[in-house]
Amino acid sequence: MGKQAIRGGRNGFSRLRRGGFGGWLLMAVVAALLCGSLRAEPGYQGQSAAGGGNSSAGSASSDGQATSNGANGAGQAPADNGTQAPSDNTQAPSNNNQAPSSSTTQAPSDGSTQSTAAESNGSHTATTTQSHTATQSSATNGNARTAGKTTPPVIEVEHDGPQQIRQPIPYPGLPSLQDLYTQIPSSGGTLRRFGSEAFLLGTGNANELPSDLPVGPDYVLGPGDNVVVNMWGGHSEHLSVTIDRQGQIALPESGTITVDGLTIAQAQAAIQKSLGTQFQDEHVEISLGRLRTVRVYVVGDVQRPGAYDVSSLSTPLSVLYAAGGPTSRGSLRILKQYRGTKLIAQIDLYDFLLKGVRATVERLLPGDTIMVPAAGAEVTVEGMVHHPAIYELNGEKTLNQVLDLAGGVLSTASLKQINVARVEAHERRTMLSLELPNSPDGVKSALAGFNVQGGDDVVISQILPYNQQAVYLEGHVFRPGRYPYHDGMTITDLLRSYQDVLPEPADHAEIIRLQAPDYRPETIGFNLPDVLLGNNPIKLQPFDVIRLFGRYGIDSPSVAIDGEVLRPGTYPMSEGMTVAGLVRMAGGFNRSAFRDAAGLSSYVIEDGQKVLVNHSQVDIQKALAGDKQADVLLKPGDVVSIRQLAGWTDIGSSVQVNGEVEHPGAYGIEQGERLSSLLKRTGGLREYAYPQAARLERVQVQQLGEQARQALIRRIESTPITVKPGTDNEQSQQSTMQSMQSQRDQIVAQLRNQPASGRLVINISSDISQWENTPADIELRAGDVLSIPKRPNFVIISGEVYNPTAISFVPGKDAKWYLQKGGGSTTSGDKKRIFVLRADGSVVAHGSGWSSSSVMDVHMRPGDTIIVPEKIIGGSDVWKNIIAIAQIASSIALTAVVAGSL
């Protein structure tokens, strides 16, 4: 251990360590004793309560809804919908959070976990291990195997208790095996010297020790003490005098008087007598003002030996505390006080550390020496005792005396055998075993007859960590937990009636039994109703786990309802459930429900080979009215479909009309209504309306256009950029590829920034009768937006022209004339792919089969747009076609925005 152990203890003294008997109570007692203010009371045997932390507590296992498949056909056992828990749990449909059955709360018999209490100093503490995760495992020939990686052992150290190692359990949900897979190492690790922590908080500075404590009348005065004298009667005066080196003080009218070596009571009587000769009826009372300091010396095996100036109230223990306490090899049993060559006192620190009391100790005088000799023989005591530690022997010779130093054995200690590791001096190490009889008197006699010697390591083992007389109840019950076992015990001793189980338990239940001698789990199934009725009294054995399931927890029957009900979804099928009952459980019909008939799809397994589906109709209205002939009894897996009224989705359908109509606004429409009918209801077109440029926006068209836009972007980005092999040098090819990349990035950016238009091309005129009931008279859809603009007086020129602008419309002029007005095409414009975007949304181009004549000869109409695209740089024919399509798409979208703002 050495200095490292002491330094390590200083850094973590606030924690109660395994070998430390200290703690806050011990430190409080030490601090009080420093200045001599703590006095031993007769019969006081105060033992530190901190030692109670070294108690051993049995492990506990959570009895929550953990499911483990044991052996021999245990199969999968998922948790019930009504799983037991400290808080309420609700059974709900699998996909809609409905709660067809009421919530059920379970009250575990022992606080939702099972734990064993350990006794320490007459008190009991309980510890609880973590809950076990429910795990499913497969069974083969009675041996279940868990899937996944191997779980490493978990080392648990209870509060100042023994170390326990939890080995991974192949059946994590089996509480009877939890403690059986617990290991208790015979050695709990490195222990500390008993009492070494008592000095870890020493200040090492006597000036920091309290010096303003009151003193009693037996305090002996000496040079340096300050005495306060109060006089009244014949003469009143307040004096504060210091005893000089000769041990004298000066009094008024009486001269000097010697008080050195006198107690306060004796000094007061002497002063009273001296002043009484000078003053009649004089009264005197004295007190101590400032204490003198004395220089003492601390030597031997201490942390900081040397000279210390301490208060005259200091004791040898307080001086040792100021010096940092003994070293790792210094004695904690022998503390000697010398005055010159005379041994004044010899103190055993264990009297204070174990009992909190000390014998009367002489006051320190100047020149006293405190000497700490080397430690004597030591014995290690570990295991199931109150204070495992390393103890120094001082007259203790037998094992019972050593165990008394360690606070005695715990109730969880095994006294059948005690192991002692012994060092035979200068020869070898050996092991001894002390076999103890069963009687208490025999144990005492055996312990008293076993002699210990320095270097012994005494190990008190723990009793087995599992309970051999217990059974476990878990699953779909109100009070899961661990219960005591007795001979002849049956399941009905735990489950007397249905009042002990949660609502709707499954008929199938299980007993997981550990078979001797190796405790292999075996699953035994039984019928719960038979047991509760008393027809099948099954006898239990120790370690049995009785596991119940909810009716909806294992292969639960369910039915589904879809369509026009308030809460469609999957529901657990109760006994006798009908189609009408399922509709009511789902909240009844929506307003959109077709109530004359409901669809029923039933599934039947034929000869265990295949599943047949049968579709039928149910007169649901009569069934809900109570007609039992119309109602149908449901089977597991049935699906009920409540259909929607015809035309229900058309209710509330409307379109928006904007622009040059007599009464723009929102209009409700009926199924099959056409554009001509809508325009008539708006009052017709106004005088300056331009129906040739009418825009009909449709949501479905916009969605299709958006999909096409995204597909075009992905196609452009995925098409590789290549340069046809030719005579160009490498530098020229690199420049061409950079230009192609730049052009592609520009087009992709334009497509991303311009959302798809939902415009549907229509061809109408001001005279509605001309196109009414023709293919141009299209059918309207809910959400359509019709916009009729004013007649424009311009033609737009866009793209690669010198002056992109809008030019006033002149009747009879062709595209060539308007293009010349805009300055013509730039050098980067592609003259072969010029196209015209009509005001109605149609496109006129050449070279693509749309028109046999040149685009330049096309006569323009108000609102038309001439677009000159950019030349496509390099690439294959496929690349050029893709870029050409992208240019047209982006130009159309951009032109629509520009035209709408003019």
Side-chain angles (χ1 to χ4, degrees):
M1 296 170 57
K3 296 183 178 179
Q4 291 181 352
I6 294 180
R7 283 196 295 267
R10 286 178 180 151
N11 294 334
F13 182 70
S14 59
R15 297 172 296 174
L16 292 176
R17 298 178 181 265
R18 295 196 61 215
F21 171 60
W24 64 269
L25 180 61
L26 178 60
M27 294 312 305
V29 176
V30 172
L33 190 61
L34 291 179
C35 299
S37 60
L38 183 66
R39 290 176 172 79
E41 297 295 337
Y44 175 71
Q45 298 292 329
Q47 191 169 5
S48 171
N54 282 330
S55 63
S56 170
S59 61
S61 61
S62 172
D63 282 321
Q65 186 69 7
T67 303
S68 170
N69 302 328
N72 296 336
Q76 293 183 346
D80 301 342
N81 288 339
T83 303
Q84 86 261 18
S87 60
D88 293 350
N89 287 305
T90 303
Q91 296 179 345
S94 60
N95 59 346
N96 287 286
N97 295 329
Q98 285 90 24
S101 61
S102 60
S103 61
T104 306
T105 303
Q106 292 177 322
S109 64
D110 48 3
S112 79
T113 58
Q114 290 118 13
S115 61
T116 57
E119 183 175 349
S120 174
N121 285 341
S123 63
H124 296 272
T125 58
T127 60
T128 305
T129 61
Q130 61 184 4
S131 299
H132 309 298
T133 305
T135 304
Q136 294 179 344
S137 58
S138 60
T140 304
N141 296 328
N143 294 324
R145 295 172 296 175
T146 57
K149 298 181 179 179
T150 302
T151 304
V154 178
I155 299 178
E156 297 179 353
V157 179
E158 299 172 0
H159 181 68
D160 277 354
Q163 175 178 294
Q164 295 183 350
I165 300 177
R166 298 282 187 185
Q167 291 293 338
I169 304 175
Y171 317 93
L174 204 56
S176 57
L177 284 178
Q178 176 66 31
D179 293 337
L180 287 173
Y181 274 84
T182 301
Q183 292 179 328
I184 305 172
S186 60
S187 178
T190 304
L191 299 178
R192 292 181 176 274
R193 294 179 65 207
F194 177 77
S196 61
E197 293 182 342
F199 300 94
L200 293 181
L201 293 182
T203 62
N205 187 351
N207 294 329
E208 298 181 11
L209 300 177
S211 60
D212 55 353
L213 298 176
V215 297
D218 58 343
Y219 176 78
V220 179
L221 297 174
D225 284 337
N226 180 262
V227 180
V228 178
V229 182
N230 290 317
M231 299 181 296
W232 72 95
H235 176 74
S236 297
E237 190 172 348
H238 178 81
L239 297 178
S240 178
V241 293
T242 301
I243 303 175
D244 59 19
R245 294 180 182 274
Q246 285 73 36
Q248 297 178 338
I249 58 173
L251 298 175
E253 304 296 337
S254 298
T256 61
I257 182 175
T258 300
V259 294
D260 181 24
L262 300 180
T263 65
I264 292 181
Q266 292 172 342
Q268 179 172 319
I271 295 173
Q272 173 80 39
K273 181 178 179 181
S274 176
L275 291 176
T277 60
Q278 303 296 325
F279 305 103
Q280 187 176 4
D281 296 330
E282 188 69 12
H283 298 278
V284 176
E285 184 180 79
I286 70 171
S287 61
L288 199 60
R290 182 178 59 84
L291 297 176
R292 70 183 184 275
T293 60
V294 295
R295 170 160 294 190
V296 296
Y297 302 91
V298 183
V299 296
D301 286 308
V302 293
Q303 297 289 342
R304 294 181 294 273
Y308 287 84
D309 292 328
V310 296
S311 165
S312 57
L313 289 177
S314 298
T315 64
L317 181 58
S318 61
V319 175
L320 179 62
Y321 186 84
T327 64
S328 60
R329 296 309 309 157
S331 176
L332 284 167
R333 300 297 303 268
I334 299 174
L335 178 64
K336 297 181 179 181
Q337 178 185 0
Y338 286 97
R339 189 164 296 154
T341 58
K342 182 181 180 181
L343 178 62
I344 302 300
Q346 180 170 301
I347 305 169
D348 187 350
L349 295 181
Y350 274 22
D351 290 339
F352 165 68
L353 295 175
L354 286 174
K355 304 174 184 178
V357 297
R358 62 182 178 85
T360 303
V361 178
E362 287 286 335
R363 298 283 184 181
L364 292 175
L365 296 180
D368 280 1
T369 300
I370 306 300
M371 193 270 183
V372 178
E378 293 179 334
V379 172
T380 300
V381 181
E382 56 182 318
M384 305 309 295
V385 293
H386 284 284
H387 315 304
I390 301 173
Y391 291 89
E392 182 181 348
L393 301 180
N394 186 19
E396 292 83 8
K397 296 181 180 180
T398 60
L399 183 55
N400 65 328
Q401 293 175 328
V402 172
L403 293 179
D404 288 341
L405 293 179
V409 297
L410 298 173
S411 60
T412 52
S414 174
L415 294 182
K416 293 183 179 180
Q417 177 178 312
I418 297 178
N419 297 323
V420 179
R422 174 163 294 177
V423 176
E424 295 184 2
H426 313 297
E427 293 184 8
R428 65 180 184 274
R429 297 179 182 271
T430 185
M431 285 289 296
L432 302 178
S433 179
L434 176 61
E435 302 289 340
L436 299 177
N438 293 327
S439 63
D441 294 337
V443 170
K444 293 181 181 179
S445 176
L447 294 177
F450 186 88
N451 293 325
V452 296
Q453 65 184 41
D456 281 358
D457 186 352
V458 180
V459 179
I460 307 298
S461 301
Q462 184 181 358
I463 59 176
L464 293 177
Y466 55 86
N467 192 330
Q468 298 182 354
Q469 296 294 318
V471 293
Y472 302 83
L473 180 63
E474 66 176 26
H476 203 70
V477 295
F478 277 109
R479 290 178 289 272
R482 178 166 50 190
Y483 290 86
Y485 171 81
H486 59 82
D487 292 337
M489 187 176 187
T490 64
I491 296 179
T492 53
D493 291 332
L494 298 176
L495 301 174
R496 294 176 175 82
S497 67
Y498 277 101
Q499 294 181 350
D500 294 325
V501 300
L502 297 179
E504 296 189 272
D507 291 345
H508 173 75
E510 297 173 351
I511 297 176
I512 296 90
R513 178 163 293 168
L514 303 184
Q515 295 291 341
D518 58 351
Y519 294 118
R520 289 179 293 105
E522 178 185 27
T523 300
I524 303 172
F526 65 91
N527 186 271
L528 181 63
D530 287 348
V531 170
L532 294 179
L533 292 175
N535 298 331
N536 185 19
I538 300 177
K539 289 188 177 183
L540 298 178
Q541 296 180 9
F543 297 111
D544 277 358
V545 178
I546 300 93
R547 181 176 292 162
L548 273 64
F549 306 98
R551 186 167 177 268
Y552 308 107
I554 50 173
D555 194 18
S556 59
S558 62
V559 291
I561 183 168
D562 299 324
E564 302 303 310
V565 290
L566 289 179
R567 295 185 295 273
T570 302
Y571 287 81
M573 194 192 79
S574 58
E575 190 72 24
M577 178 180 282
T578 63
V579 174
L582 179 59
V583 171
R584 294 188 186 97
M585 185 174 291
F589 294 124
N590 290 331
R591 292 188 298 112
S592 58
F594 177 68
R595 308 188 183 194
D596 289 345
L600 175 62
S601 299
S602 296
Y603 301 87
V604 179
I605 300 177
E606 185 179 67
D607 300 329
Q609 300 294 324
K610 59 181 179 178
V611 177
L612 301 179
V613 183
N614 180 33
H615 301 290
S616 60
Q617 299 291 321
V618 178
D619 192 339
I620 190 62
Q621 198 157 10
K622 289 184 179 180
L624 288 172
D627 188 345
K628 295 184 178 179
Q629 297 295 328
D631 208 354
V632 177
L633 194 66
L634 293 175
K635 299 187 296 296
D638 283 358
V639 177
V640 177
S641 300
I642 306 298
R643 291 166 288 185
Q644 191 180 77
L645 287 172
W648 179 263
T649 56
D650 296 328
I651 296 177
S653 299
S654 65
V655 296
Q656 180 71 30
V657 182
N658 301 322
E660 297 303 307
V661 294
E662 291 295 336
H663 306 291
Y667 288 84
I669 60 173
E670 61 181 348
Q671 181 71 23
E673 185 172 0
R674 296 186 176 274
L675 182 58
S676 59
S677 173
L678 174 65
L679 288 177
K680 289 179 181 179
R681 288 200 287 146
T682 63
L685 302 176
R686 300 184 65 185
E687 179 182 358
Y688 296 103
Y690 188 54
Q692 289 79 2
R695 295 175 59 88
L696 181 63
E697 301 284 345
R698 181 162 290 177
V699 175
Q700 294 83 354
V701 176
Q702 193 275 335
Q703 293 173 349
L704 293 174
E706 180 63 25
Q707 294 176 5
R709 183 176 73 97
Q710 295 296 337
L712 181 59
I713 292 174
R714 289 193 298 269
R715 187 176 180 187
I716 294 173
E717 292 178 337
S718 62
T719 302
I721 298 176
T722 58
V723 179
K724 290 184 178 180
T727 57
D728 293 342
N729 56 31
E730 183 178 354
Q731 184 176 1
S732 177
Q733 290 182 356
Q734 186 68 24
S735 176
T736 301
M737 292 188 65
Q738 291 179 355
S739 299
M740 294 173 64
Q741 180 67 42
S742 176
Q743 187 177 52
R744 181 172 73 172
D745 294 343
Q746 181 182 1
I747 292 175
V748 171
Q750 291 174 354
L751 290 174
R752 292 188 186 278
N753 295 330
Q754 296 164 3
S757 172
R759 184 176 185 179
L760 183 64
V761 177
I762 58 177
N763 186 14
I764 62 176
S765 62
S766 300
D767 189 356
I768 298 177
S769 62
Q770 290 183 355
W771 52 270
E772 186 178 7
N773 297 324
T774 67
D777 192 8
I778 65 173
E779 188 175 321
L780 297 173
R781 295 287 185 270
D784 284 353
V785 178
L786 177 64
S787 299
I788 309 294
K790 290 184 178 181
R791 179 182 177 86
N793 57 356
F794 56 82
V795 173
I796 298 175
I797 302 175
S798 177
E800 296 301 320
V801 295
Y802 285 104
N803 185 23
T805 186
I807 299 176
S808 298
F809 174 73
V810 178
K813 299 298 181 180
D814 56 16
K816 181 179 180 180
W817 183 85
Y818 284 100
L819 188 59
Q820 290 175 349
K821 290 294 184 181
S825 174
T826 64
T827 57
S828 60
D830 191 347
K831 297 179 181 180
K832 295 180 180 181
R833 296 190 301 109
I834 296 175
F835 62 93
V836 174
L837 178 62
R838 292 292 192 185
D840 60 3
S842 61
V843 177
V844 180
H846 63 76
S848 58
W850 293 322
S851 176
S852 60
S853 60
S854 173
V855 176
M856 295 293 99
D857 298 333
V858 174
H859 285 79
M860 305 301 292
R861 302 170 187 169
D864 289 352
T865 302
I866 303 171
I867 299 174
V868 181
E870 183 183 9
K871 289 181 180 179
I872 300 175
I873 302 172
S876 62
D877 292 338
V878 175
W879 170 261
K880 290 181 179 180
N881 290 335
I882 295 174
I883 298 300
I885 295 172
Q887 287 178 337
I888 294 174
S890 62
S891 298
I892 291 174
L894 179 61
T895 303
V897 174
V898 174
S901 62
L902 295 178

